[in-house]
């Protein structure tokens, strides 16, 4: 029995763990050291270790714009984006500016179907009656040339705050803050959109402090925004470098202490998570998807409303609505993924079962808000770059695509190469190394697919085509317990670029059963342990019974369903031993 594609397990080297405090679990010492953390102070960085806001280019110009708008009581319009990072960034911008003295702050967010991505001319036209003095983009804007131009034509000042990679030309904004701009000196290029606007607010507070704005009033506490910063950062899958881990750790501490905004508290409650034991994994798999569902199937304005409300009953009501939307999203996603699986089986895989070097998938019935999730699922299934397309709206000739990539292949750069070789093939594109978005006319789809596959063929390192699972080695019998599972849960925070611990080992299969016709549940025996271990391999049923002995790569977690100190192994890869 194996996973849907072969993977190679490689153990991380065991490094010298000297110098750690005596009260640090040996397992955690080993894990942190393997991830390049040699200074215990960097294992769980503190806010005092954050890089200075002034290191980011354009910061002074941004602060001057905001301080002037506050001083002259101008209306400030914060425009968010329709994903979790964009929604939390919008909420941080609105809340933070109000904390810092802005009396007229309004917000807006594009509708995925009506406006498309980011600040578009159509969105600017719709917002014109608001007549802001200053428009602030969060989590987008660096590629929104036409939208920024339209806003400037109305006489508005424009501040772009973003973290996406810039194109060849920059929009004509009054100020641009993006750590990924060329020659920007900010050390961390991994900030999410919500992290960038938080940094802008920190710089603005320092400026106002120097001006004496808080001489007679208490200084605003921007730490109250870190719950939102944590959620947006984890949900956007940016690399959790030391700077981001400091932000996320502080936000998680606030959430666990019950100090999160009422909207996030309601969302945690609706998701059935234990707030006191909340982890970055809970954000990634429970909170983020529920917020994202609003932007995928409905309107992210609802998600932002949840993050801004101070009314607990309203928060619970919105959280329940998001729960229902998320259930619908899951159903739509499952149908689309089933379609994609069928398409792959029929057209993408060869008769020998060989996987292509990349895949482009399209169905006229698919929902544009869910193609990213389908691309992600199929990327995992094939271990290949995948782009999934859907009509931008029902019956439209314009397609919206969402791309997901594998380690070692920069998907946004690949799209840039396609654009350079075939100008006009795509209407627009943008994104990161692992995820990107694009739009194009349906008539261009076949030509795009050929051009994209040619770029992948030319640029792909063959070594990247076999999935490599980096294991933290075997766990001793004494480490397979609740104490260590809980330590793993609350350490980290784990995530992109600072991977959650994965272990591997050889086990005897005592019992097995299939759940919901696709999940494989195992009872495993290991020498030296009396009680068998519960293990589950989600979507791991291949139609063949497991061997008596298996080699598995797994995560050790607390079994919240059983409770009472139970543990289970979440299997990521399983092969006959």
């Amino acid at each position: 029995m194996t996973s849907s594609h072969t993977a190679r397990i490689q153990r991380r080297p065991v490094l010298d763990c000297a110098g750690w405090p005596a009260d640090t679990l040996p397992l955690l010492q080993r894990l942190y050291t393997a991830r390049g953390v040699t200074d215990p102070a960097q294992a769980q960085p503190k806010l005092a270790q954050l890089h200075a806001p002034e290191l980011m280019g354009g910061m002074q110009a941004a602060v001057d714009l905001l301080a002037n708008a506050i001083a002259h009581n101008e209306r400030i319009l914060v425009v968010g984006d329709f994903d979790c990072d964009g929604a939390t960034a919008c909420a941080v911008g609105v809340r933070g500016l109000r904390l810092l003295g802005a009396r007229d702050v309004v917000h807006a967010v594009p509708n995925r179907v009506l406006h498309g991505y980011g600040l578009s001319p159509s969105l600017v036209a719709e917002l014109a009656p608001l007549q802001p003095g200053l428009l602030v983009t969060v989590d987008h804007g660096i590629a929104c040339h036409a939208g920024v131009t339209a806003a400037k034509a109305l006489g508005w000042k424009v501040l772009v705050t973003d973290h996406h990679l810039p194109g060849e030309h920059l929009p004509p904004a009054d100020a641009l803050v993006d750590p990924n701009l060329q020659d920007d000196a900010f050390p961390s290029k991994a900030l999410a959109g919500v992290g960038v606007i938080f940094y802008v607010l920190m710089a603005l507070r320092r400026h106002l402090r120097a001006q004496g704005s808080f001489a007679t009033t208490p200084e605003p506490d921007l730490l109250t925004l870190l719950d939102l910063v944590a959620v947006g950062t984890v949900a956007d899958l940016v690399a959790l470098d030391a700077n981001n881990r400091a932000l996320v750790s502080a936000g998680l501490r606030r959430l666990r202490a019950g100090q999160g905004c009422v909207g996030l508290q309601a969302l945690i409650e609706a998701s059935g998570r234990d707030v006191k034991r909340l982890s970055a994994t809970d954000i990634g798999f429970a909170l983020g998807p529920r917020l994202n569902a609003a932007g995928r199937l409905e309107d992210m304005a609802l998600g932002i409303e949840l993050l801004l409300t101070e009314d607990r009953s309203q928060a619970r009501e919105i959280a329940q609505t998001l729960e229902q939307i998320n259930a619908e999203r899951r159903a739509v996603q499952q149908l689309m993924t089933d379609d994609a699986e069928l398409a792959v089986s029929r057209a993408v895989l060869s008769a020998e079962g060989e996987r292509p070097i990349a895949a482009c998938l399209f169905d006229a019935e698919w929902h544009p808000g869910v193609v990213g999730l389908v691309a992600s699922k199929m990327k995992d299934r094939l271990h290949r770059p995948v782009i999934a397309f859907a009509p931008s709206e029902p019956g439209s000739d314009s397609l919206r695509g969402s791309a997901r990539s594998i380690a070692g292949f920069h998907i946004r750069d690949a799209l840039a190469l396609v654009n350079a070789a075939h100008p006009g093939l795509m209407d627009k594109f943008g994104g990161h190394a692992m995820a990107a978005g694009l739009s194009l006319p349906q008539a261009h789809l076949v030509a795009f697919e050929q051009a994209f596959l040619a770029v992948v063929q030319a640029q792909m390192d063959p070594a990247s085509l076999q999935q490599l699972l980096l294991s933290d080695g075997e766990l001793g019998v004494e480490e397979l317990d609740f104490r260590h599972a809980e330590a793993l849960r609350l350490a980290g925070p784990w995530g992109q670029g600072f991977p959650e611990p994965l272990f591997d080992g050889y086990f005897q299969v005592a019992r097995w059963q299939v759940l919901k016709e696709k999940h494989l549940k195992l009872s495993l025996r290991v020498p030296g342990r009396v009680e068998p271990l519960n293990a589950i391999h989600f979507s791991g049923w291949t139609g063949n019974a497991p061997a008596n002995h298996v080699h598995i790569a797994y995560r050790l977690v607390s079994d919240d369903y059983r409770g009472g100190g139970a543990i289970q192994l979440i299997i990521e890869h399983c092969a006959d031993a």
Side-chain angles (χ1 to χ4, degrees), residues 190-378:
L191 277 180
V194 69
V196 174
I197 187 62
F198 181 73
Y199 259 83
V200 170
L201 294 170
M202 286 198 292
L204 176 60
R205 182 178 63 178
R206 184 172 296 183
H207 174 85
L208 295 174
R209 180 192 301 140
Q211 284 189 329
S213 298
F214 312 125
T216 58
T217 58
E219 186 165 302
D221 183 5
L222 296 181
L223 299 185
T224 59
L225 305 173
L226 285 173
D227 55 337
L228 294 163
V229 176
V231 170
T233 299
V234 172
D236 212 47
L237 299 179
V238 292
L240 293 186
D241 60 10
N243 204 75
N244 275 339
R245 293 206 313 282
L247 293 169
V248 173
S249 294
L252 279 169
R253 285 194 296 273
R254 291 193 65 83
L255 286 165
R256 289 172 189 152
Q259 297 172 334
C261 67
V262 296
L264 286 180
Q265 289 184 45
L267 205 60
I268 294 167
E269 183 182 302
S271 70
R273 293 310 199 266
D274 180 354
V275 67
K276 293 179 181 176
R277 298 167 64 232
L278 199 75
S279 68
T281 303
D282 292 320
I283 292 175
F285 286 94
L287 305 190
R290 282 165 172 78
L291 273 173
N292 271 328
R296 292 187 188 282
L297 296 187
E298 300 282 340
D299 187 343
M300 187 47 100
L302 186 66
I304 296 172
E305 186 180 358
L306 173 73
L307 302 179
L308 289 176
T309 185
E310 300 293 346
D311 185 320
R312 289 189 180 276
S313 61
Q314 183 189 29
R316 288 195 179 98
E317 187 178 321
I318 297 174
Q320 286 304 318
T321 300
L322 292 180
E323 188 74 13
Q324 294 163 11
I325 296 172
N326 192 49
E328 181 186 349
R329 186 271 307 167
R330 280 199 299 262
V332 170
Q333 177 187 342
Q334 188 60 56
L335 288 172
M336 289 168 59
T337 303
D338 290 345
D339 289 344
E341 291 270 9
L342 192 59
V344 165
S345 299
R346 285 179 175 172
V348 178
L349 295 180
S350 70
E352 295 77 30
E354 286 295 313
R355 287 165 283 150
I357 200 162
C360 289
L361 305 169
F362 166 69
D363 192 302
E365 301 301 316
W366 284 354
H367 192 292
V370 189
V371 286
L373 299 173
V374 172
S376 182
K377 285 279 186 185
M378 298 311 298

Side-chain angles (χ1 to χ4, degrees), residues 280-574:
T281 303
D282 292 320
I283 292 175
F285 286 94
L287 305 190
R290 282 165 172 78
L291 273 173
N292 271 328
R296 292 187 188 282
L297 296 187
E298 300 282 340
D299 187 343
M300 187 47 100
L302 186 66
I304 296 172
E305 186 180 358
L306 173 73
L307 302 179
L308 289 176
T309 185
E310 300 293 346
D311 185 320
R312 289 189 180 276
S313 61
Q314 183 189 29
R316 288 195 179 98
E317 187 178 321
I318 297 174
Q320 286 304 318
T321 300
L322 292 180
E323 188 74 13
Q324 294 163 11
I325 296 172
N326 192 49
E328 181 186 349
R329 186 271 307 167
R330 280 199 299 262
V332 170
Q333 177 187 342
Q334 188 60 56
L335 288 172
M336 289 168 59
T337 303
D338 290 345
D339 289 344
E341 291 270 9
L342 192 59
V344 165
S345 299
R346 285 179 175 172
V348 178
L349 295 180
S350 70
E352 295 77 30
E354 286 295 313
R355 287 165 283 150
I357 200 162
C360 289
L361 305 169
F362 166 69
D363 192 302
E365 301 301 316
W366 284 354
H367 192 292
V370 189
V371 286
L373 299 173
V374 172
S376 182
K377 285 279 186 185
M378 298 311 298
K379 178 265 298 181
D380 291 341
R381 155 96 158 80
L382 296 168
H383 190 66
R384 295 291 189 269
V386 172
I387 307 180
F389 290 93
S392 56
E393 54 186 275
S396 171
D397 291 330
S398 175
L399 302 185
R400 192 164 299 150
S402 196
R404 297 293 183 270
S405 194
I406 58 177
F409 187 77
H410 198 300
I411 194 71
R412 190 263 176 199
D413 285 358
L415 294 179
L417 288 172
V418 171
N419 189 59
H422 305 274
L425 199 58
M426 294 179 284
D427 293 332
K428 56 185 176 181
F429 69 94
H432 306 288
M434 302 296 284
L438 66 152
S439 61
L440 48 76
Q442 186 171 337
H444 291 184
L445 181 59
V446 173
F448 170 82
E449 181 175 10
Q450 293 171 347
F452 175 67
L453 291 176
V455 165
V456 179
Q457 191 75 53
Q459 300 293 321
M460 177 68 75
D461 178 356
S464 299
L465 294 176
Q466 181 177 30
Q467 185 179 17
L468 178 65
L469 294 177
L470 286 176
S471 165
D472 289 291
E474 290 191 84
L475 286 178
V477 175
E478 74 284 356
E479 294 174 321
L480 288 165
D481 62 11
F482 184 74
R483 177 185 176 221
H484 285 83
E486 280 294 276
L488 293 174
R489 180 184 192 130
L490 299 176
W494 316 109
Q496 196 78 19
F498 201 73
E500 187 174 3
L502 184 73
F503 308 99
D504 78 282
Y506 295 85
F507 298 87
Q508 179 185 0
V509 177
R511 294 187 306 278
W512 64 275
Q513 66 182 113
V514 180
L515 304 178
K516 297 184 179 180
E517 300 181 351
K518 61 179 180 178
H519 308 310
L520 189 63
K521 185 177 181 182
L522 301 173
S523 181
L524 303 174
R525 292 198 179 279
V526 59
R529 181 184 169 95
V530 177
E531 290 294 320
L533 288 159
N534 290 311
I536 187 161
H537 192 186
F538 291 110
S539 300
W541 172 239
T542 62
N544 302 315
N548 289 331
H549 291 85
V550 291
H551 181 205
I552 65 171
Y554 64 91
R555 291 182 289 112
L556 172 67
V557 301
S558 313
D559 191 339
D560 294 338
Y561 181 74
R562 291 173 182 268
I567 61 169
Q568 69 174 339
L569 310 185
I570 305 296
I571 298 173
E572 299 290 345
H573 179 74
C574 184

Side-chain angles (χ1 to χ4, degrees), residues 66 69-70 73-74 76 94 96-105:
L66 289 166
I70 292 172
N73 202 26
E74 292 181 358
I76 303 174
V94 172
L97 288 169
R98 288 173 179 166
L99 280 172
L100 292 171
R103 293 188 291 277
D104 190 359
V105 185

Side-chain angles (χ1 to χ4, degrees), residues 58-264:
M59 190 62 83
Q60 190 56 53
V63 165
D64 289 343
L65 280 173
L66 289 166
N68 184 70
I70 292 172
H72 293 89
N73 202 26
E74 292 181 358
R75 172 167 291 173
I76 303 174
L77 169 60
V78 180
V79 180
D81 187 26
F82 42 60
D83 68 357
C84 188
D85 184 18
T88 52
C90 185
V92 165
V94 172
R95 285 180 173 274
L97 288 169
R98 288 173 179 166
L99 280 172
L100 292 171
R103 293 188 291 277
D104 190 359
V105 185
V106 293
H107 69 278
V109 63
N111 181 287
R112 189 185 292 265
V113 174
L114 295 178
H115 308 110
Y117 168 78
L119 186 70
S120 62
S122 64
L123 180 59
V124 170
E126 192 174 296
L127 298 175
L130 291 174
Q131 296 183 310
L134 173 62
L135 184 150
V136 181
T137 71
V138 290
D139 189 35
H140 72 283
I142 207 68
C144 299
H145 302 79
V148 172
T149 300
K152 293 290 293 176
L154 293 175
W156 306 347
K157 292 185 284 293
V158 178
L159 163 60
V160 166
T161 74
D162 200 352
H163 69 125
H164 293 93
L165 296 170
E168 191 175 341
H169 303 291
L170 298 176
D174 295 275
L176 296 165
V177 180
D178 183 334
N180 285 299
L181 287 175
Q182 188 173 0
D183 299 326
D184 192 281
F186 193 72
S188 171
K189 306 302 180 186
L191 277 180
V194 69
V196 174
I197 187 62
F198 181 73
Y199 259 83
V200 170
L201 294 170
M202 286 198 292
L204 176 60
R205 182 178 63 178
R206 184 172 296 183
H207 174 85
L208 295 174
R209 180 192 301 140
Q211 284 189 329
S213 298
F214 312 125
T216 58
T217 58
E219 186 165 302
D221 183 5
L222 296 181
L223 299 185
T224 59
L225 305 173
L226 285 173
D227 55 337
L228 294 163
V229 176
V231 170
T233 299
V234 172
D236 212 47
L237 299 179
V238 292
L240 293 186
D241 60 10
N243 204 75
N244 275 339
R245 293 206 313 282
L247 293 169
V248 173
S249 294
L252 279 169
R253 285 194 296 273
R254 291 193 65 83
L255 286 165
R256 289 172 189 152
Q259 297 172 334
C261 67
V262 296
L264 286 180

